[in-house]
């Protein structure tokens, strides 16, 4: 399986990092070795001194598809969860400045903690799914799928023009404003609506 992540999908987040608002979805990949499951801890890596959290809604793909048409895009997923797109921001800034790929800063081991998944039928409106992140008990990010620049279906149509999506793939759909650094000893908690889905201790 693979993880495909959308970047700059919330206007306020693009602005906070001084990025342009994209005209089409920006995406990058993480390998399966990035995944952390079952609320296991994240071990702060020695190659960075600024690891940022980015809480995101995550779609689980349920069947293979390429060149997906907009009217069928919704048939490719029916489960959603919460994930954190950990980013070595110091390395990413340096790579961006040099015009180099971001992988080292985004795809490292443990950079993708994910929650369990719930059926999307739990939500009346897929364009109104609230989610949030708490750091040490304080809410640091508040998002809603309705604020995405590119909605779930638009994302799948775009990605599948270039890359076949397969059953079990995960799509990180972008982070809202409020990203910030973690330190050893911090606890992150991700919420889907009111429900706590994910806990990550930084060690
Ligand atoms: Mg992200």
């Amino acid at each position: 399986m693979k993880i495909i992540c959308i970047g700059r999908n919330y206007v306020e987040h693009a602005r906070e990092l001084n990025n342009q608002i994209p005209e089409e979805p920006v995406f990058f990949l993480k390998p399966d070795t990035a995944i952390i499951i079952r609320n296991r801890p994240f071990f702060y890596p020695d190659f960075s001194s600024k690891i940022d959290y980015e809480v995101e809604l995550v779609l689980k793909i349920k069947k293979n598809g390429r060149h997906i048409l907009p009217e069928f895009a919704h048939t490719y997923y029916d489960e959603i969860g919460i994930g954190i797109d950990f980013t070595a921001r110091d390395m990413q800034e340096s790579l961006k400045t040099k015009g180099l790929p971001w992988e080292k800063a985004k795809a490292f081991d443990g950079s993708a903690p994910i929650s369990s998944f719930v059926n999307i039928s739990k939500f009346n409106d897929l364009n109104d799914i609230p989610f949030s992140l708490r750091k040490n008990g304080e809410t640091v990010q508040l998002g809603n799928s309705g604020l995405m620049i590119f909605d779930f279906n638009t994302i799948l149509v775009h990605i599948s023009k270039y890359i076949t999506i397969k059953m079990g793939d995960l799509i990180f759909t972008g982070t809202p404003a409020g990203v910030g650094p973690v330190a050893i000893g911090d606890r992150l908690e991700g919420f889907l609506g009111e429900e706590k889905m994910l806990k990550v201790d930084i060690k």
Side-chain angles (χ1 to χ4, degrees), residues 6 28 54 56 85 106 174-175:
I6 305 297
F28 57 91
E54 296 188 356
E56 312 202 1
D85 167 18
K106 282 285 196 182
T175 197

Side-chain angles (χ1 to χ4, degrees), residues 10 34 39 46 66 74-75 77 91-93 100 102 104 108 125 128 131 136-137 163 174 177 179-180 183 190:
Y10 289 80
N39 295 326
D46 59 9
R66 61 193 293 257
H74 71 278
T75 66
Y77 58 91
M91 276 174 29
Q92 188 196 28
E93 293 301 335
L100 291 170
W102 301 351
K104 218 166 55 170
F108 54 87
D125 181 356
D128 184 19
F131 63 105
N136 303 328
I163 298 178
V179 303

Side-chain angles (χ1 to χ4, degrees), residues 41-173:
F42 172 80
F43 291 93
Y44 205 106
D46 59 9
F47 51 72
S48 173
S49 51
K50 191 170 189 287
I51 300 286
D52 274 3
Y53 54 77
E54 296 188 356
V55 72
E56 312 202 1
L57 293 172
V58 181
L59 295 181
K60 187 186 272 189
I61 298 300
K62 69 170 182 176
K63 62 180 181 182
N64 299 1
R66 61 193 293 257
H67 298 296
I68 295 170
L69 296 171
E71 57 269 42
F72 298 124
H74 71 278
T75 66
Y76 287 83
Y77 58 91
D78 60 11
E79 287 186 288
I80 194 163
I82 287 283
I84 296 174
D85 167 18
F86 276 128
T87 305
R89 194 72 70 197
D90 46 357
M91 276 174 29
Q92 188 196 28
E93 293 301 335
S94 147
L95 292 164
K96 274 164 73 177
T97 306
K98 294 175 189 156
L100 291 170
W102 301 351
E103 261 72 7
K104 218 166 55 170
K106 282 285 196 182
F108 54 87
D109 287 355
S111 61
I114 51 168
S115 70
S116 55
F117 287 78
V118 298
N119 199 283
I120 52 170
S121 60
K122 199 171 171 214
F123 300 94
N124 296 325
D125 181 356
L126 291 192
N127 292 313
D128 184 19
I129 302 178
F131 63 105
S132 61
L133 185 73
R134 289 184 198 167
K135 182 171 103 169
N136 303 328
E138 183 190 340
T139 299
V140 288
Q141 286 191 279
L142 262 178
N144 188 300
S145 58
L147 296 171
M148 294 190 297
I149 299 170
F150 304 105
D151 66 12
F152 298 143
N153 295 346
T154 305
I155 288 168
L156 293 189
V157 168
H158 183 76
I159 290 172
S160 69
K161 278 185 204 170
Y162 307 95
I163 298 178
T164 298
I165 57 165
K166 295 177 81 173
M167 184 170 64
D169 286 351
L170 299 176
I171 313 292
F172 276 59
T173 58

Side-chain angles (χ1 to χ4, degrees), residues 2-20:
K2 57 189 174 292
I3 305 168
I4 302 177
C5 304
I6 305 297
R8 305 176 189 172
N9 202 22
Y10 289 80
V11 171
E12 294 304 322
H13 169 63
R15 287 198 180 126
E16 75 181 344
L17 294 184
N18 296 314
N19 289 316
Q20 303 234 319

